[in-house]
Amino acid sequence: MRTPFIAGNWKMNKTADEAVAFVREVRHALNQIEGVDIAFCPPYLAIPALADALKGTKIGLGAQNMYFEESGAYTGELAPSMLTPFCQYVILGHSERRAYFGETDEGVNKKIRAALKHGLTPIVCVGESLEQNEAGETHDFVSGQVRAAFAGFTAVEMAICVIAYEPIWAIGTGRTATAAQAGQIIGVTVRGTVASMFGEETAQQVRIQYGGSVKPGNAAELMGHPDIDGALVGGASLQPSFVELVRNSVV
Ligand code: PGA
């Protein structure tokens, strides 16, 4: 049985002060929701303050990115060991990082290795563009992303990782994949690819989230699909109604 996992990806939103004020508002209610794992992934500078504000709760903390090297001349980057005092998770290969900051499958693979080495659980994002979707390329493209991301890992390492299937056409657009559409890609393409690489038993252990315009109103339908194990939530995780979204996700 896979425990659903809802992670809030705040992207480039909220100063450290705003982050703390928000978390103080929602932490008590979120902490009381059973049967779901919850995490916030704020901008780097809010991470230490949020680690403090979340102490004593079950709510986890994640970063939105990191570099794979241990230290050195990599201006503007952060190493895994800088996150581990505060974070349990790190989002890797988000489509915005791939589109705007040149993230490659090869780099994502190296980052997953570095995250696991340091005991961070990677949330690895995959997903097709609107053009690819309309051209019927979703299965091959997403399957290829999964293969490239997890090439060279053991089944035990794979089982620790979380995958987020986020169709790019559904991110921040208000256009959500239906539970049937998302469940089909997650079950057949994402979990199916994991199964062909690592075996069915491992595939059944991996948590696979859906991401893309998840809101309080559609969370129950999406999470009701047996292959969807939670959500990576952008815009809707910035609002107090995120509590309602998480509550509706426990089905
Ligand atoms: P959204 O973003 O919920 O605002 O669509 C999801 C994501 O990019 O992780």
Side-chain angles (χ1 to χ4, degrees):
M1 189 53 201
R2 303 180 295 264
T3 306
F5 175 32
I6 311 282
N9 171 15
W10 288 359
K11 310 191 179 185
M12 199 172 72
N13 294 290
K14 295 195 193 290
T15 63
D17 285 352
E18 288 164 352
V20 170
F22 176 76
V23 158
R24 284 198 181 132
E25 196 179 334
V26 296
R27 67 186 167 189
H28 180 70
L30 286 174
N31 198 42
Q32 294 196 311
I33 306 173
E34 285 175 14
V36 60
D37 292 339
I38 306 165
F40 285 120
C41 304
Y44 289 132
L45 280 174
I47 287 175
L50 278 203
D52 215 39
L54 291 170
K55 235 177 235 150
T57 75
K58 67 164 193 167
I59 305 161
L61 203 47
Q64 297 173 16
N65 180 36
M66 62 167 210
Y67 199 49
F68 51 77
E69 294 287 359
E70 303 283 334
S71 66
Y74 303 104
T75 301
E77 293 294 327
L78 275 183
S81 63
M82 298 170 185
L83 298 175
T84 47
F86 311 104
C87 294
Q88 300 80 47
Y89 304 99
V90 59
I91 299 173
L92 297 175
H94 190 280
S95 61
E96 286 150 18
R97 297 227 41 97
R98 294 180 193 253
Y100 307 140
F101 304 102
E103 290 267 347
T104 62
D105 282 336
E106 193 191 0
V108 171
N109 180 278
K110 287 183 180 162
K111 289 180 178 191
I112 298 170
R113 179 149 311 290
L116 290 173
K117 182 177 170 205
H118 286 268
L120 292 162
T121 297
I123 301 172
V124 180
C125 302
V126 297
E128 82 286 2
S129 67
L130 182 61
E131 296 71 40
Q132 289 167 322
N133 185 281
E134 287 176 344
E137 294 165 6
T138 300
H139 176 82
D140 287 354
F141 180 73
V142 173
S143 175
Q145 282 185 316
V146 173
R147 282 188 184 283
F150 297 105
F153 289 95
T154 65
V156 172
E157 289 169 327
M158 180 71 245
I160 296 167
C161 297
V162 175
I163 303 175
Y165 167 62
E166 302 200 299
I168 297 169
W169 48 269
I171 297 177
T173 58
R175 258 185 85 176
T176 324
T178 63
Q181 275 175 321
Q184 159 91 4
I185 307 295
I186 287 177
V188 177
T189 300
V190 182
R191 206 178 297 287
T193 302
V194 173
S196 73
M197 294 174 78
F198 300 97
E200 188 57 35
E201 199 183 320
T202 302
Q204 288 305 323
Q205 291 174 317
V206 174
R207 291 198 287 188
I208 308 176
Q209 301 171 317
Y210 166 76
S213 299
V214 179
K215 299 190 181 59
N218 60 23
E221 191 212 332
L222 287 160
M223 302 317 134
H225 192 286
D227 263 307
I228 304 180
D229 305 321
L232 186 55
V233 184
S237 70
L238 297 164
Q239 307 296 330
S241 59
F242 181 60
V243 173
E244 199 187 323
L245 187 160
V246 176
R247 226 178 253 137
N248 294 348
S249 301
V250 187
V251 283

